[in-house]
Amino acid sequence: MIHKLALVGFGTVGRGLVEILLDKRQQLEDEHGFQPLVVAVADLFHGSCYDPAGLDLGQLLDIVAAGGSLDDYPGAQTGWDSLETIRASGADAVVEVTVTDLETGEPAISHCRAAFEAGAHLVTSNKGPVALKWRELASEADARGVQLRFEGTVMSG
């Protein structure tokens, strides 16, 4: 089954996920029936791009590795901020892997809420939302019929 994904954050963790999706694509489909289709990526430092038909994962990695901006992705809608990406991408799930202030939990908490409002499941590696607003966010996700999942290590280890 095809799952449309929007990535919010394209640093070490976001790019690492894309590498895994590329390397394990066939295994994910064969063993789990999971066919990821990354339709949007937004990053504070690397820009953003959106294509409802899906983005070429290798091209995303190449653009950033060459020091370019995702805003230069050919043929894609570009220039969206993270919240617009979450709200407008039509993703089934948002992968939220941004840098987050551990005192406020932002911008990750706002990203979580925007995903739920858009009817998207959310996976985050951020500790801020989980530590500071777990009960509220879990309740919001449950009320919207979406899943909130989290996983992460210290310092993107």
Side-chain angles (χ1 to χ4, degrees):
M1 174 176 228
I2 294 174
H3 295 273
K4 295 184 290 182
L5 305 177
L7 307 181
V8 180
F10 204 58
T12 302
V13 177
R15 290 192 311 267
L17 173 61
V18 166
E19 290 172 0
I20 291 168
L21 293 176
L22 278 170
D23 292 344
K24 303 290 185 180
R25 180 175 299 258
Q26 195 60 52
Q27 181 181 355
L28 290 168
E29 185 174 353
D30 292 347
E31 294 180 14
H32 306 286
F34 179 67
Q35 296 174 301
L37 181 68
V38 176
V39 297
V41 179
D43 184 88
L44 182 62
F45 305 105
H46 299 296
S48 68
C49 55
Y50 162 74
D51 185 336
L55 299 164
D56 181 298
L57 301 183
Q59 191 168 7
L60 292 171
L61 293 170
D62 289 346
I63 289 169
V64 172
S69 170
L70 296 174
D71 293 325
D72 298 328
Y73 190 98
Q77 165 69 47
T78 61
W80 288 354
D81 66 19
S82 57
L83 292 173
E84 187 172 10
T85 298
I86 293 166
R87 293 178 179 133
S89 67
D92 301 312
V94 172
V95 177
E96 202 285 335
V97 291
T98 62
V99 174
T100 298
D101 182 318
L102 290 179
E103 290 184 28
T104 66
E106 291 297 343
I109 291 172
S110 293
H111 294 154
C112 294
R113 289 189 167 128
F116 303 152
E117 290 166 7
H121 303 290
L122 181 109
V123 178
T124 185
S125 64
N126 278 312
K127 291 100 183 133
V130 176
L132 299 172
K133 298 286 184 179
W134 170 253
R135 284 188 178 88
E136 289 175 39
L137 293 172
S139 178
E140 288 176 37
D142 188 51
R144 302 260 185 188
V146 296
Q147 295 183 27
L148 167 60
R149 297 289 183 240
F150 61 93
E151 179 62 66
T153 58
V154 176
M155 297 174 57
S156 300

